[in-house]
Amino acid sequence: MTAAFTPHAILVTGGAGFIGSNFINHFMGANPGCRVVNLDLLTYAGNLENLTGVESRPDYRFVRGDICDAPLVASLLTEERIEAVLHFAAESHVDRSITGPEIFVRTNVLGTQVLLEESRRHWQANKSADFRFLQVSTDEVYGSLGATGFFTEETPLAPNSPYSASKAGADLLVRAYHETYGMPTLNTRCSNNYGPYHFPEKLIPLMITNIINQKPLPVYGDGLNVRDWLHVKDHSRAIETVLKKGRGGSIYNVGGNNEWKNIDIVNLVCDLLDGRLGRQPGANRQLIAFVKDRPGHDKRYAIDAARIKRELGWEPGYTFEQGIAETIDWYLHNQEWVAKVTSGAYRDYYEKQYGR
Ligand code: NAD
Ligand code: DAU
């Protein structure tokens, strides 16, 4: 058994987004000796208010910038003596990729190539030091399943949306940097996440916020598509585990064996909120509106996470019952966060906190 990798400084890209900010909050709590540099462009999906718990720590630095900016990436890698790049930054919403695919290719494919290339130069210039490049990817690169079966790490890539195609392109570049240059890369592919700080364009936070505001709940098609849900804190621990113990060049699927039909999850969220909002049982379900299906809508995702469990000892900690209840309560207790996201006021935080 080789010793776990314990970096002194990491570069996190996209650390102001949903998963990146949860990861930073988790990682900085668990690894006080490690400096964290967060490079984020603050697109609509970036919210620095997710990071108020760490922003004043001396071992944290926020840099507003673009992963496609090679000189910026190179200077951060050198001046901060970065030992690992954890690459979360992306355009992440499938529906947006259908109406505007170009930015997905720029950020997700070209941005990953810039990070890989600058990481390669940095790693080769400091070859005596240990280094890792961890690509945070998605089960969507595998395409869609029928009624049975699971995605394993050997399932062929068959992405169906511009989003998943751009993530698959990035994953293939990561593979190529390992095969061509021997770069120590890691690749995680996780199922759907839920939890705090989730931008309310995605299914679960959209349903919660619409229910609170008594707005319609748009369910695409017949509502029978299946997603496999994992709490974002379990995903954060999985990424930390892969960073510290993963084998260079490997892919690790991450998931919690927790499949739900969309309509069942919407009904569940409705029912849990009936009680909490003091509404009649069944009242929130009246808000459900079946709408036109998403084009190319993948039918079912289900992850086989046996490798990360067997080789690295990671297991999810949350039951879904506990995780969804906590998530709903988080949204109810953080209505100010929701209001600022809904109004757009969250976008002023950078100027207020960091100035020009
Ligand atoms: P998100 O949309 O919430 O956050 C993305 C972050 O990236 C934002 O902070 C945004 O400002 C930043 N960003 C975008 N373009 C950038 C650029 N050019 N330069 C620097 N920063 C930029 O996304 P998320 O849901 O937190 O997903 C994070 C990663 O995890 C993505 O790579 C996604 O593909 C992957 N993933 C997501 C899920 C999920 O369920 N959300 C599941 C599996 C994998
Ligand atoms: O599987 C991992 C992926 O999960 C990540 O790679 C993506 O970044 C992330 O956005 C997520 O993709 P999905 O498309 O599965 O998530 P979304 O929340 O957009 O949709 C979940 C399911 O709910 C999907 O079947 C579409 C459906 N849906 C979604 C929305 C927003 C609805 O029925 N109504 C909605 O309003």
Side-chain angles (χ1 to χ4, degrees):
M1 179 91 162
T2 49
F5 173 59
T6 50
H8 301 96
I10 63 172
L11 178 66
V12 173
T13 71
F18 164 49
I19 304 176
S21 61
N22 273 286
F23 175 81
I24 290 177
N25 288 325
H26 161 76
F27 187 85
M28 292 197 73
N31 299 272
C34 182
R35 182 164 173 77
V36 174
V37 180
N38 175 10
L39 173 63
D40 196 299
L41 187 57
L42 299 182
T43 67
Y44 81 93
N47 186 345
L48 288 177
E49 298 202 32
N50 301 356
L51 293 158
T52 49
V54 299
E55 68 186 1
S56 54
R57 279 179 52 164
D59 49 356
Y60 172 77
R61 176 180 171 196
F62 175 70
V63 178
R64 185 175 194 176
D66 191 339
I67 56 167
C68 299
D69 181 346
L72 172 64
V73 171
S75 70
L76 289 176
L77 291 170
T78 308
E79 90 196 29
E80 295 284 358
R81 298 176 184 209
I82 294 297
E83 294 173 0
V85 173
L86 284 89
H87 179 30
F88 295 82
E91 287 295 330
S92 69
H93 193 35
V94 173
D95 291 333
R96 287 179 189 257
S97 82
I98 293 166
T99 50
E102 193 179 338
I103 185 72
F104 283 73
V105 176
R106 181 187 181 275
T107 301
N108 300 357
V109 184
L110 294 178
T112 303
Q113 194 275 327
V114 168
L115 284 173
L116 282 164
E117 181 58 16
E118 295 314 319
S119 295
R120 178 182 73 79
R121 291 173 200 264
H122 175 69
W123 164 65
Q124 287 184 328
N126 302 278
K127 249 203 158 148
S128 54
D130 216 346
F131 182 81
R132 303 274 193 282
F133 184 100
L134 191 154
Q135 160 78 355
V136 180
S137 191
T138 167
D139 58 359
E140 296 200 13
V141 297
Y142 298 121
S144 184
L145 291 165
T148 57
F150 296 88
F151 296 132
T152 72
E153 289 85 354
E154 279 70 46
T155 301
L157 301 190
N160 293 316
S161 72
Y163 161 70
S164 53
S166 68
K167 291 295 291 186
D171 284 11
L172 291 176
L173 284 166
V174 170
R175 175 190 156 87
Y177 269 71
H178 176 73
E179 295 298 323
T180 305
Y181 308 108
M183 204 161 105
T185 59
L186 297 159
N187 197 162
T188 57
R189 292 182 179 150
C190 190
S191 60
N192 286 63
N193 284 213
Y194 70 98
Y197 304 120
H198 205 179
F199 197 84
E201 63 182 352
K202 310 280 168 57
L203 181 72
I204 290 183
L206 180 70
M207 296 301 140
I208 297 173
T209 52
N210 280 11
I211 291 169
I212 293 171
N213 298 313
Q214 293 189 282
K215 287 186 171 168
L217 309 177
V219 174
Y220 299 163
D222 57 12
L224 298 180
N225 299 63
V226 172
R227 296 293 181 266
D228 186 356
W229 294 93
L230 183 74
H231 197 283
V232 66
K233 288 185 184 161
D234 282 331
H235 188 192
S236 297
R237 279 194 307 102
I239 290 169
E240 181 189 16
T241 303
V242 171
L243 173 70
K244 291 182 173 174
K245 303 205 273 180
R247 258 184 307 116
S250 297
I251 298 165
Y252 296 93
N253 281 354
V254 183
N257 229 347
N258 181 41
E259 292 179 53
W260 284 79
K261 292 190 185 84
N262 291 337
I263 188 62
D264 291 341
I265 224 158
V266 173
N267 281 332
L268 175 71
V269 173
C270 283
D271 296 349
L272 290 171
L273 274 163
D274 279 338
R276 285 166 169 78
L277 294 170
R279 296 181 189 160
Q280 290 296 318
N284 289 328
R285 289 192 187 202
Q286 303 302 316
L287 297 169
I288 293 172
F290 288 93
V291 298
K292 196 164 163 280
D293 208 356
R294 172 186 278 175
H297 195 175
D298 287 336
K299 188 69 188 172
R300 174 173 167 258
Y301 304 146
I303 273 281
D304 176 346
R307 175 181 288 172
I308 187 173
K309 290 183 187 169
R310 188 180 62 245
E311 294 184 10
L312 309 185
W314 172 87
E315 295 266 4
Y318 275 87
T319 62
F320 189 61
E321 200 184 13
Q322 176 199 4
I324 194 72
E326 267 187 40
T327 301
I328 287 174
D329 290 335
W330 187 88
Y331 277 87
L332 288 172
H333 293 137
N334 289 276
Q335 300 256 8
E336 203 188 331
W337 181 94
V338 175
K340 283 188 187 167
V341 169
T342 312
S343 70
Y346 71 106
R347 304 202 71 170
D348 302 337
Y349 192 80
Y350 175 74
E351 307 300 333
K352 269 192 231 144
Q353 196 61 17
Y354 294 88
R356 279 238 161 238

